[in-house]
Amino acid sequence: MSKRLFLWSIAIAVLVALPPLAIKLGEPFYIDLVRRIMILAIAA
Amino acid sequence: MSLNLILGYGGLVSFGHAAYLGTGAYAVGILAFYGFTDGWLQLAVAIGASALVAAAIGSISIRTSGIYFIMITLAFTQMLYYLGISIAEFGGDDGMRLKAKSRFALVDLGDPVVFYYVALALMVFFSFLSS
């Protein structure tokens, strides 16, 4: 597995795990924040 | 990602990205303003409007290069910016607020977690597409 693919896998795993974690910690703000960053990442 | 396409692969420094993003956003906002909330229709109109504006701006800008290309794309972006803030009916310089969220048949974008995963899936898809 290349280093690039490995880093991508970790980044995606963290992003997938974020919503349940944010809800569990009572911080749903982070779901909105990261979603907006991802949308801007697509557009920019 | 779009910058990677034009700058990374094309070697063109463009300051016109905000214009295309804004055109698509205003297309969705104006449709929602008039009660058209079907997401697929909004998506098609947003892509079509942005592509049309990009084709018009691109057909003129591509005749230049270097600093002139940067300046002309910036100038067109500023023109569209002032057009956007001059239309009082659509919020003027306060910006436009969506009257209603887009509705898709299979996904409920009103749910923030669903919306998050849709954005994540699109980001991953377009990242791999542009790499």
Side-chain angles (χ1 to χ4, degrees):
Chain A
M1 188 192 289
S2 70
K3 187 180 174 186
R4 182 184 160 90
L5 191 63
F6 177 68
L7 290 174
W8 259 106
S9 306
I10 289 180
I12 292 169
V14 168
L15 288 171
V16 167
L18 187 129
L21 201 66
I23 291 169
K24 195 166 186 170
L25 295 173
E27 299 281 0
F29 161 77
Y30 290 103
I31 298 175
D32 264 6
L33 176 70
V34 177
R35 189 197 72 221
R36 283 163 194 253
I37 292 171
M38 288 192 298
I39 291 171
L40 282 174
I42 297 167
Chain B
M1 282 167 219
S2 56
L3 271 177
N4 181 34
L5 281 178
I6 191 164
L7 183 59
Y9 291 102
L12 295 165
V13 181
S14 165
F15 281 4
H17 279 67
Y20 314 129
L21 176 65
T23 303
Y26 265 87
V28 171
I30 291 168
L31 283 173
F33 183 82
Y34 288 110
F36 297 99
T37 54
D38 180 57
W40 297 113
L41 171 74
Q42 291 179 339
L43 186 65
V45 172
I47 291 171
S50 293
L52 209 65
V53 168
I57 293 174
S59 65
I60 299 167
S61 306
I62 203 69
R63 293 164 203 272
T64 63
S65 62
I67 190 80
Y68 304 105
F69 183 81
I70 298 171
M71 287 297 115
I72 200 166
T73 52
L74 179 63
F76 277 117
T77 304
Q78 286 300 106
M79 280 182 213
L80 286 173
Y81 166 72
Y82 282 106
L83 175 68
I85 65 167
S86 65
I87 307 172
E89 192 180 8
F90 298 137
D93 56 2
D94 289 333
M96 189 174 193
R97 291 183 65 89
L98 269 181
K99 280 219 166 182
K101 283 212 169 192
S102 306
R103 285 186 295 108
F104 289 88
L106 298 174
V107 286
D108 175 23
L109 294 182
D111 182 343
V113 176
V114 173
F115 196 4
Y116 175 92
Y117 282 118
V118 169
L120 175 60
L122 288 174
M123 187 189 74
V124 170
F125 174 73
F126 286 114
S127 293
F128 280 101
L129 203 68
S130 68
S131 65

